Amino acid sequence: MNYVVAGYSITLGILFVYAVSLGFRRRRLARAVAAVEAARAPVTPPDPRSPQ
Amino acid sequence: MTTIAPPADPRLAEGAPATGPDGSARLRATLWTLGVLGAVSTGATVWLGIWVTPPDKVQGNLVRLVYLHPGVAWVALYLAFGLAALASLLYLWPRTRSLVWDRLAAAAVEVGVVFTACTLISGSIWGRPTWGVWWAWDARLTSTAVLLVLFLGYLALRRVPAEPHVRARRSAFAALFAAVDVPIVHFSVLWWRTLHQGATVLNPTLSPEIHGSMAWTLLLGIVALTVDFAWMLVVRYRIGLLEDRLGAEELDRAIDARRAEGGAA
Amino acid sequence: MWRDALLVGGKDLRIEARSRVALAQIAPFGMIVLVLFAFALGPDQSPLVHAAPGLFWVAVLFSTVLAVQRSVAVEAGDATRDGLRLAGLDPAGIFLGKAAAVGAQLLVLQAVLAAGVLLLFGARVVHPWLLLGTCLAGAVGLAASGTLYGALSAGVRLRETLLPFLLLPVVAPVLLAGTRLWQSSLAGGAPDAGASWMRLLLVFDAVYVALGVVVFGPLTEAA
């Protein structure tokens, strides 16, 4: 029975940790993308300053 | 597998999604549903597997591990890598070439590698009391391990930075070369040695040797892990999408910065 | 296609004939692997004879990695890859030529290593034709799959470390089949299902040669 408990907890534990890490990675990236896009938005309009 | 509809959404093609970084409302609802379904069904499998079902006549309590292991193995060996091979082929086929398939393949392989590792670990924990050893050089164990190494190589290749389509094409070819090898590895290792018990679950008829509640628990375990896999696949796909988008944004920003410098000078 | 294959293969072999990298560096490397195995297993004759087929094929696999890296490096400088494409050569021909050149070098390597195994480990050959056939079939499979992976890794940074990682698990069936076939052709080995192993090896060869002929064009274009 020890092996059974160990098997369930280790296997499901790995899957759970992986799932949580996926969630964190996604959230961090979403924040980074949002930050980059927010920082970019006000810069784009003055387009004519390109050297022509 | 209708649950992978979000990645196939044509609006997400080529890294130009119309939605915000968190995805559309429908995507979030799908993820939420999948997550709850996966958690509940996995919990139910554990409950049925450990407390409800009777111990086996031959294997005793160890049979309880058999409710988890086949589900993990099914997801890892068939679903994940089958999906990765299919997506790689679709990328290579000129008419369906799209980074959607590349991201799907990457997501499937990464999640599949985690499931394969879990397959080996849960199998090993079952093998220790049953065979008396943590690892036996048996056919299916060995070919699963070779598969794991093959797809770790795929992930290593993906980590080498490159332009998205270059990386996609390179990875798709690597997946193709490795996938072609899988049946050959399978047979070679099978002839090399075998002592694993035959496939009990995926027999055409649900084997009569399994007691009623046991069969249902087994089936539930497979469904639960498939749902878990679908959730992870979608989230991992979103990660790939956001990474590409971030890369493109940063490139744009760098170009803008250079332009501004040029304008100032 | 065959003419292009001859041209490319001849070019690679001429480069080898002048630089002697395979003969002067890779073959001695294989011999060192054999000697190191002997050190690891101890000086007794019987475990060495028992392990000889496996040691031979492991040494061949390691040497294959080096030979493939050399074959890629030949094309890496001076934009030779673009040159081959600009010359209008058939990609399938380029693949066959490069694979044939690698295969020919592997056969020489195998001859050297086989002599080493037979002399140093004292193994005795019972079925020489089976032994030769295995070497030939193994060389074809290793050369074809190695050339494919070489082309795949050609433009990649870090390819020196990536190539063995990608290639060695793929060629594991060659190791298994080659070892079993050598066991049945050496004295003292159990004569087991030689025919099915040979068939497996031939299937491996056919699959990777066919894959290379079909895929080499799209694989190398605009990498």
Side-chain angles (χ1 to χ4, degrees):
Chain A
M1 202 65 196
N2 284 336
Y3 283 106
V4 174
V5 172
Y8 272 82
S9 43
I10 293 176
T11 308
L12 294 177
I14 291 174
L15 290 180
F16 183 73
V17 168
Y18 177 68
V20 169
S21 81
L22 276 184
F24 274 117
R25 267 162 81 188
R26 197 199 65 83
R27 216 173 59 177
R28 211 190 55 220
L29 274 167
R31 277 193 192 149
V33 168
V36 167
E37 282 175 358
R40 200 173 129 68
V43 184
T44 19
D47 212 23
R49 95 207 130 114
S50 56
Q52 259 106 22
Chain B
M1 287 307 298
T2 47
T3 43
I4 46 168
D9 187 340
R11 279 176 311 158
L12 302 188
E14 301 300 311
T19 56
D22 277 328
S24 67
R26 207 190 67 195
L27 173 72
R28 268 173 298 175
T30 313
L31 270 182
W32 180 247
T33 321
L34 275 180
V36 169
L37 263 181
V40 168
S41 55
T42 311
T45 309
V46 173
W47 179 63
L48 286 173
I50 292 190
W51 286 286
V52 177
T53 49
D56 185 61
K57 284 200 190 84
V58 185
Q59 295 197 21
N61 278 323
L62 280 176
V63 77
R64 300 180 191 288
L65 277 174
V66 175
Y67 302 126
L68 197 62
H69 179 72
V72 183
W74 139 254
V75 168
L77 305 180
Y78 297 91
L79 207 53
F81 294 136
L83 206 59
L86 190 69
S88 301
L89 273 181
L90 283 171
Y91 178 83
L92 288 177
W93 192 253
R95 282 195 186 173
T96 49
R97 178 157 306 166
S98 155
L99 284 180
V100 168
W101 302 121
D102 176 53
R103 285 187 210 111
L104 183 62
V109 171
E110 192 187 290
V111 181
V113 160
V114 174
F115 271 86
T116 311
C118 284
T119 308
L120 288 175
I121 290 169
S122 63
S124 181
I125 291 172
W126 178 84
R128 175 75 181 102
T130 312
W131 296 334
V133 284
W134 289 109
W135 181 264
W137 289 101
D138 131 89
R140 277 205 264 164
L141 277 176
T142 312
S143 46
T144 307
V146 174
L147 194 72
L148 180 66
V149 177
L150 279 175
F151 283 97
L152 281 175
Y154 175 90
L155 289 181
L157 184 65
R158 284 201 77 90
R159 289 184 67 87
V160 180
E163 195 267 317
H165 270 291
V166 170
R167 187 181 65 173
R169 155 206 218 78
R170 192 192 275 163
S171 317
F173 274 119
L176 178 68
F177 297 165
V180 162
D181 201 40
V182 168
I184 304 179
V185 167
H186 174 77
F187 279 109
S188 64
V189 175
L190 191 71
W191 293 338
W192 182 59
R193 170 171 228 163
T194 190
L195 59 86
H196 201 290
Q197 60 171 207
T200 12
V201 208
L202 293 171
N203 282 349
T205 53
L206 255 186
S207 325
E209 49 188 295
I210 293 182
H211 185 271
S213 67
M214 294 171 145
W216 287 115
T217 311
L218 200 61
L219 213 60
L220 180 68
I222 292 175
V223 172
L225 286 156
T226 307
V227 177
D228 294 345
F229 170 72
W231 185 87
M232 292 181 194
L233 189 72
V234 175
V235 176
R236 180 61 186 77
Y237 181 92
R238 292 288 308 170
I239 290 176
L241 191 65
L242 288 169
E243 271 171 354
D244 286 358
R245 217 164 130 180
L246 194 64
E249 282 290 342
E250 278 179 344
L251 191 67
D252 282 354
R253 215 154 55 132
I255 291 172
D256 278 356
R258 300 296 303 192
R259 274 224 188 102
E261 275 173 32
Chain C
M1 181 172 96
W2 298 111
R3 205 180 48 87
D4 295 353
L6 269 180
L7 274 175
V8 174
K11 171 198 73 104
D12 274 15
L13 286 179
R14 266 200 307 282
I15 292 177
E16 164 56 24
R18 288 183 195 152
S19 65
R20 297 271 162 78
V21 170
L23 210 59
Q25 292 177 20
I26 303 179
F29 166 78
M31 291 304 285
I32 290 170
V33 172
L34 286 188
V35 173
L36 289 180
F37 274 133
F39 288 167
L41 292 179
D44 288 342
Q45 203 67 260
S46 86
L48 284 179
V49 171
H50 189 70
L55 302 189
F56 171 81
W57 282 100
V58 170
V60 169
L61 252 58
F62 287 165
S63 312
T64 304
V65 173
L66 294 186
V68 169
Q69 272 175 345
R70 171 68 186 151
S71 165
V72 176
V74 163
E75 308 291 356
D78 304 333
T80 324
R81 269 154 60 93
D82 299 332
L84 282 179
R85 283 209 340 261
L86 282 175
L89 293 178
D90 184 1
I94 300 180
F95 168 75
L96 288 176
K98 290 203 77 75
V102 172
Q105 294 174 31
L106 281 181
L107 280 177
V108 176
L109 280 171
Q110 283 179 337
V112 174
L113 290 176
V117 166
L118 298 183
L119 294 176
L120 293 176
F121 297 175
R124 264 188 325 107
V125 183
V126 188
H127 303 293
W129 289 113
L130 185 61
L131 200 78
L132 278 178
T134 310
C135 284
L136 198 61
V140 171
L142 290 175
S145 55
T147 306
L148 265 183
Y149 272 91
L152 180 74
S153 69
V156 183
R157 272 184 277 168
L158 311 171
R159 81 173 126 84
E160 294 83 0
T161 41
L162 208 50
L163 181 68
F165 186 19
L166 294 178
L167 181 61
L168 286 177
V170 168
V171 294
V174 177
L175 174 69
L176 289 178
T179 306
R180 278 302 151 104
L181 284 166
W182 264 56
Q183 274 173 357
S184 18
S185 49
L186 290 182
D192 69 344
S196 57
W197 284 112
M198 188 50 110
R199 229 176 295 142
L200 184 102
L201 206 50
L202 292 177
V203 167
F204 185 92
D205 293 0
V207 164
Y208 278 95
V209 170
L211 200 61
V213 167
V214 174
V215 144
F216 203 72
L219 177 62
T220 46
E221 88 189 16

